[in-house]
Amino acid sequence: MRGGDKLLEPVDGRPLLSRIAAAALATGLPVHVALPPDRPARRAALQGLAVGAVTVPDPAGGMAESLKAGLAALPRGVGVMVLLADLPEITAADLIALRDAWQAEPEAILRGAAEDGTPGHPVCFPCDLRDDLMTLQGDEGARSVLVRHRARLRLIRLPGRHATTDLDTPEDWAAWRAARGDGARASGPGGR
């Protein structure tokens, strides 16, 4: 983002991180957000939301460090829905649909997918896979766990590209906003 913070980009009138945390809270499930220690604006974006903020001690260690810090904050014996904070099209309805499917099939790994079946996020992991998740390293995410347990994997199709839209550059954001007819621009600490 060339110095900007995509999690602070405005989406539907609020920072993306705040919007996605609010969508997660709409599921009625407890929500924990893994945050690096050097991004106070992200913590500020979560003010007023009933989320647990978890500090990632070594964010330079990659995505796995965020996942492990978040898992360590949860009680043992519970499954986890891993929701990336940079998915601007995910809605509360998407997360509720995934939660409901997971409650009906708690031993499965459920993965959000685009309407066309392209795998994306979020991903729900049963509690028995916690130890596998805690051994992850680097920036691969949970890909190795998904491969190792692919027989338990079930895709849950979400509308459009809700599960796969990920915007990493100012140009990506501009193109996405133009396609939506949204003239909102970043401002404040996350602006360009």
Side-chain angles (χ1 to χ4, degrees):
M1 290 291 292
R2 293 192 285 282
D5 186 340
K6 67 181 176 176
L7 298 189
L8 300 179
E9 287 288 318
V11 177
D12 300 331
R14 66 195 304 180
L16 176 57
L17 180 59
S18 172
R19 182 189 167 280
I20 203 130
L25 286 167
T27 65
L29 299 171
V31 176
H32 290 77
V33 182
L35 299 163
D38 62 345
R39 299 286 181 110
R42 288 184 182 180
R43 283 188 192 276
L46 296 170
Q47 289 296 316
L49 295 173
V51 300
V54 178
T55 300
V56 180
D58 181 22
M63 213 182 326
E65 295 306 310
S66 294
L67 181 57
K68 291 189 290 189
L71 280 171
L74 300 176
R76 291 198 65 77
V78 298
V80 62
M81 179 189 294
V82 177
L83 172 61
L84 303 181
D86 62 353
L87 299 170
E89 294 185 1
I90 286 287
T91 66
D94 296 334
L95 299 178
I96 290 168
L98 201 57
R99 177 207 63 197
D100 291 350
W102 194 26
Q103 288 173 340
E105 205 173 346
E107 297 307 312
I109 301 170
L110 301 186
R111 184 172 188 181
E115 201 169 300
D116 67 3
T118 303
H121 295 278
V123 181
C124 299
F125 292 96
C127 62
D128 67 296
L129 296 181
R130 179 189 182 111
D131 290 341
D132 287 25
L133 295 170
M134 290 300 284
T135 65
L136 296 173
Q137 300 292 319
D139 243 352
E140 77 162 286
R143 187 174 299 121
S144 62
V145 177
L146 294 173
V147 168
R148 200 165 39 255
H149 298 282
R150 66 182 156 270
R152 296 171 68 180
L153 181 63
R154 187 167 150 248
L155 296 179
I156 304 296
R157 292 176 191 238
L158 300 176
R161 297 189 44 80
H162 289 197
T164 58
T165 298
D166 179 5
L167 309 172
D168 293 322
T169 67
E171 293 79 15
D172 291 344
W173 279 94
W176 180 74
R177 287 188 172 109
R180 288 179 76 195
D182 181 0
R185 296 206 45 149
S187 61
R192 291 180 281 286

